Amino acid sequence: MNIQSLCVTMAGLCACSTQAQDAAKGPPDGWGGLLLSNVTLQKSTENALRSRPSPFRADLVTDTGGRLQNFFALQYKRGDWTLHGAYADNRTLGGGSAYSLTNPMTFGVNTVETTGSRRKAVDDKSGLHELAASYRHNGTVLMVGKIDTSNWYLADPLFGGDLTHGNDYANAATRVVAPPFPSLALVVRQDLGNGLSLTGIAGDAFGDRETLQAARNLVRGDLAYVAELNYQNATQHFQLTLNHVDAFRHYDKDAVWPIAGEKAPKVDAVMATASHRFNPHWAGFARWSFAKGAGQLEDRNHLVGVRFDWGKFSALVSQSSTRVATDSTPYLRGAKGDRTAVSELTLNYKVHPQVTVGVTYDLYRSSGRALLAKDGGWNGARRNQIVGLRLTSMLPF
């Protein structure tokens, strides 16, 4: 993919704005923002591989994970235009085992930096997370700049656990494909009326979370694309998502694909989601995902779950199954065709309208001889149990 193709893609995404429908104008003019803070601690019964195999640091293999995340977002709105900025700080807790922005007991991101020919593990990263401008008019939202594109697709407002306070519905919900991270991107969202909306995203294949260097893959013609169709009303939500990531070389900051002179293989994925709220207390959810790519560790995921709300409490129960896509797994833990089942229970309690405490229990089981190394199969175990405790607060202003 080259820059000329990118221009054509952006023009195509913008074309959908010509069919704009009336929509809400969004928040009032002036300044606004939020401060989000999350502390998560996890302990498992088996050792897991926290990052790519690392000869320079043994503690990337661990049965303990912890992280502290602080996220400050600020925006200024005037008429149809809004300027967005965000700063993020992410740190390891408890012994320097390399923090993760995802489930601390699975593959993390931002755990490795490369400077020249030297690689090192890192325990903290801070910096500019987002800097963008958006235009909203008659049902059309157009956003360009450094964007956390994962906020613009695969959302599920009817279910989704406690997404506004940092807890997704299951560790395996988007397991077969990682969303494009903060990157230089264009987002177009169009309200089609009658509950339908269409979102298109084009941007760097894998952007930098902490600096403005968010286009190092894009300038080489390596991009990611998302097209998503949503239908939503007061009680149900249906979603179809198509995702493509070009082969790319650069991860966050100076981390690169570990094989010199090669790129991470391209990936194509499709995800279908359905959720329904049966009454004020019960909601149900299902997702099916499939990904195709030479570098895919897993290629198919099924997930079903329910949510129960009672006053300040909410409980989430889900069951997923994910298929291993290759025999070339890290340290040969797991084999092609094996299935990893994840049973998850999460209990949330709102101690304050802006503060949530959550406890999560996960049971990992492999149909093969061992779990993947990232799921706790480092020592050849077929089963792993993980207990997590988190405290999340969000202060809007």
Side-chain angles (χ1 to χ4, degrees):
M1 177 56 72
N2 52 39
I3 299 303
Q4 182 179 11
S5 298
L6 172 62
C7 295
V8 173
T9 301
M10 289 184 169
L13 290 175
C14 292
C16 71
S17 66
T18 62
Q19 302 178 17
Q21 306 288 329
D22 289 337
K25 294 181 180 297
D29 284 2
W31 291 96
L34 65 87
L35 177 62
L36 176 68
S37 181
N38 175 269
V39 179
T40 299
L41 301 173
Q42 287 187 319
K43 178 72 174 180
S44 73
T45 57
E46 301 290 341
N47 283 339
L49 178 67
R50 286 287 306 281
S51 183
R52 295 191 295 271
S54 305
F56 44 80
R57 214 166 105 176
D59 61 1
L60 291 178
V61 177
T62 181
D63 61 357
T64 303
R67 68 181 184 273
L68 171 65
Q69 297 173 277
N70 289 292
F71 180 83
F72 175 73
L74 190 65
Q75 70 174 36
Y76 178 75
K77 182 178 182 296
R78 186 175 182 86
D80 294 331
W81 289 92
T82 304
L83 299 177
H84 309 261
Y87 185 91
D89 180 84
N90 305 276
R91 298 179 180 273
T92 291
L93 295 177
S97 55
Y99 81 88
S100 168
L101 295 184
T102 54
N103 170 16
M105 298 313 305
T106 64
F107 271 119
V109 294
N110 287 335
T111 52
V112 178
E113 281 187 357
T114 304
T115 303
S117 60
R118 297 182 59 191
R119 298 174 66 204
K120 65 176 183 177
V122 294
D123 297 309
D124 61 89
K125 296 241 180 175
S126 302
L128 186 65
H129 188 84
E130 191 166 63
L131 186 62
S134 65
Y135 175 79
R136 182 189 300 264
H137 186 73
N138 289 340
T140 301
V141 177
L142 175 65
M143 190 173 187
V144 66
K146 182 179 180 180
I147 303 170
D148 186 351
T149 52
S150 62
N151 291 329
W152 287 85
Y153 77 115
L154 284 179
D156 187 1
L158 294 183
F159 197 79
D162 194 8
L163 286 176
T164 58
H165 292 78
N167 186 36
D168 206 347
Y169 19 72
N171 289 327
T174 56
R175 191 177 174 105
V176 301
V177 60
F181 296 112
S183 62
L184 187 64
L186 171 72
V187 177
V188 179
R189 183 178 178 89
Q190 178 63 54
D191 179 10
L192 303 175
N194 299 317
L196 285 168
S197 65
L198 179 65
T199 300
I201 302 172
D204 192 288
F206 200 114
D208 195 318
R209 292 176 187 267
E210 287 82 29
T211 76
L212 288 175
Q213 295 181 344
R216 288 178 298 177
N217 294 308
L218 186 148
V219 297
R220 293 170 171 81
D222 302 330
L223 291 92
Y225 308 92
V226 175
E228 182 174 272
L229 181 66
N230 282 271
Y231 171 77
Q232 180 187 342
N233 60 27
T235 61
Q236 57 189 344
H237 179 218
F238 300 99
Q239 184 179 81
L240 178 64
T241 307
L242 304 176
N243 188 185
H244 170 80
V245 181
D246 285 346
F248 65 93
R249 175 68 169 154
H250 293 276
Y251 288 92
D252 294 351
K253 291 209 169 178
D254 296 315
V256 295
W257 183 249
I259 303 175
E262 296 188 16
K263 294 182 178 181
K266 67 179 181 179
V267 179
D268 292 286
V270 56
M271 288 151 279
T273 302
S275 61
H276 183 81
R277 178 159 290 283
F278 303 100
N279 57 49
H281 296 299
W282 290 98
F285 168 85
R287 172 168 286 164
W288 173 86
S289 307
F290 175 76
K292 182 180 180 180
Q296 283 296 110
L297 189 59
E298 298 164 301
D299 63 358
R300 183 173 293 176
N301 172 254
H302 305 87
L303 174 71
V304 294
V306 295
R307 170 172 173 154
F308 178 72
D309 293 272
W310 187 269
K312 295 182 180 180
F313 286 93
S314 63
L316 297 90
V317 180
S318 66
Q319 178 63 56
S320 69
S321 176
T322 308
R323 187 177 69 179
V324 178
T326 177
D327 288 319
S328 300
T329 61
Y331 289 88
L332 300 181
R333 301 297 189 262
K336 184 176 182 179
D338 288 355
R339 294 186 179 274
T340 303
V342 182
S343 305
E344 182 172 84
L345 169 64
T346 297
L347 180 64
N348 295 320
Y349 177 72
K350 285 187 178 295
V351 297
H352 182 273
Q354 276 78 47
V355 181
T356 301
V357 174
V359 178
T360 299
Y361 169 80
D362 290 282
L363 172 61
Y364 286 72
R365 294 163 293 170
S366 174
S367 65
R369 297 179 59 184
L371 287 165
L372 294 172
K374 69 183 180 69
D375 294 327
W378 179 261
N379 293 319
R382 293 184 61 188
R383 294 163 58 94
N384 189 20
Q385 299 179 75
I386 302 173
V387 175
L389 174 67
R390 67 180 180 87
L391 175 66
T392 310
S393 61
M394 183 176 69
L395 177 64
F397 55 87

